[in-house]
Amino acid sequence: MIEYIRGELTDITPALAVVEAAGVGYALNISLNTYTAIQNKKEVLLYVHEALVAGGRDDSFTLYGFADKQERELYRQLITVSGVGANTARMILSSCTPAELCSVIANGDERTLKSVKGIGLRTAQRIIVDLKDKIATSDIAAKAVGSTETAVGIDNEVRSEAISALTMLGFSPAPSAKVVGEILKQQPQLPVEQVVKLALKLIK
């Protein structure tokens, strides 16, 4: 089992980081929170969650990377909930910081969870019921850290990275581009992670 990967950050998008360690480049799926935490660093340490899907010709081995253990633990808790898959869990963690998510669950805030693409009322309720006590009795909430906004200077670069992130999260490029364009038209100075967060709530 891989606990973490430490090495040079050779490539990064809001949804994927490539870390070179001992001559091997590891591609890790990341959330916007982790993207914000590592985007300007040369050397990084990412805590790893390994996902192995076996069955026929569709076997796959995927790595998920997290800037801190608390976000990884929240991710692992989320994917134990019925109806919440790997991509949905990452989307939830891209829509709010670990600290915000702990607060949402602790307060039974179904509305905020429902604002995440792919989360309906029943799933939101299930997340709250299944995880409220677990989070309250663990140290996740106490140690969860918020994200730091980092401005990106070039609008076209922000637009391109936001659309790329949404596409990697499973959305079609055309509606993604439309929503991102509308967001940047209204708020042109937003950093890419904030653009994607807003798009996750607006995209159809």
Side-chain angles (χ1 to χ4, degrees), residues 17-36:
V18 178
V19 180
E20 182 177 340
V24 178
Y26 296 90
L28 301 103
N29 290 288
I30 60 174
S31 71
L32 286 177
N33 290 304
T34 292
Y35 171 79
T36 300

Side-chain angles (χ1 to χ4, degrees), residues 11-195:
D11 193 19
I12 187 171
T13 73
L16 187 76
V18 178
V19 180
E20 182 177 340
V24 178
Y26 296 90
L28 301 103
N29 290 288
I30 60 174
S31 71
L32 286 177
N33 290 304
T34 292
Y35 171 79
T36 300
I38 69 172
Q39 61 176 324
N40 294 317
K41 295 182 179 181
K42 288 186 177 181
E43 297 288 327
V44 298
L45 185 154
L46 292 179
Y47 294 95
V48 175
H49 173 79
E50 303 171 75
L52 174 63
V53 177
R57 291 181 295 178
D58 295 326
D59 289 4
S60 65
F61 180 65
T62 305
L63 299 178
Y64 293 86
F66 305 90
D68 59 70
K69 288 183 177 180
Q70 287 68 49
E71 187 182 20
R72 181 178 65 176
E73 181 58 26
L74 276 173
Y75 175 85
R76 287 175 170 173
Q77 294 284 2
L78 284 167
I79 60 176
T80 66
V81 178
S82 177
V84 178
N87 209 41
T88 301
R90 182 167 61 144
M91 222 176 291
I92 292 171
L93 288 167
S94 291
S95 299
C96 54
T97 67
E100 290 168 345
L101 180 58
C102 287
S103 178
V104 164
I105 294 172
N107 294 323
D109 187 354
E110 299 170 357
R111 184 174 183 179
T112 297
L113 285 174
K114 280 176 59 185
S115 70
V116 179
K117 182 69 175 178
I119 300 293
L121 177 59
R122 289 186 179 180
T123 303
Q125 291 173 335
R126 197 176 295 122
I127 291 171
I128 292 168
V129 170
D130 288 3
L131 301 186
K132 190 172 184 178
D133 289 342
K134 291 180 182 179
I135 289 175
T137 56
S138 71
D139 62 353
I140 299 174
K143 293 183 178 179
V145 294
S147 61
T148 301
E149 292 186 3
T150 303
V152 179
I154 304 173
D155 287 349
N156 284 336
E157 184 176 334
V158 173
R159 180 179 181 278
S160 176
E161 289 192 2
I163 294 170
S164 174
L166 290 166
T167 301
M168 292 182 73
L169 287 170
F171 297 101
S172 298
S176 297
K178 181 178 180 181
V179 170
V180 168
E182 291 172 353
I183 292 170
L184 288 174
K185 186 176 180 180
Q186 298 292 327
Q187 303 179 74
Q189 302 304 315
L190 282 181
V192 64
E193 59 268 25
Q194 293 298 326
V195 173

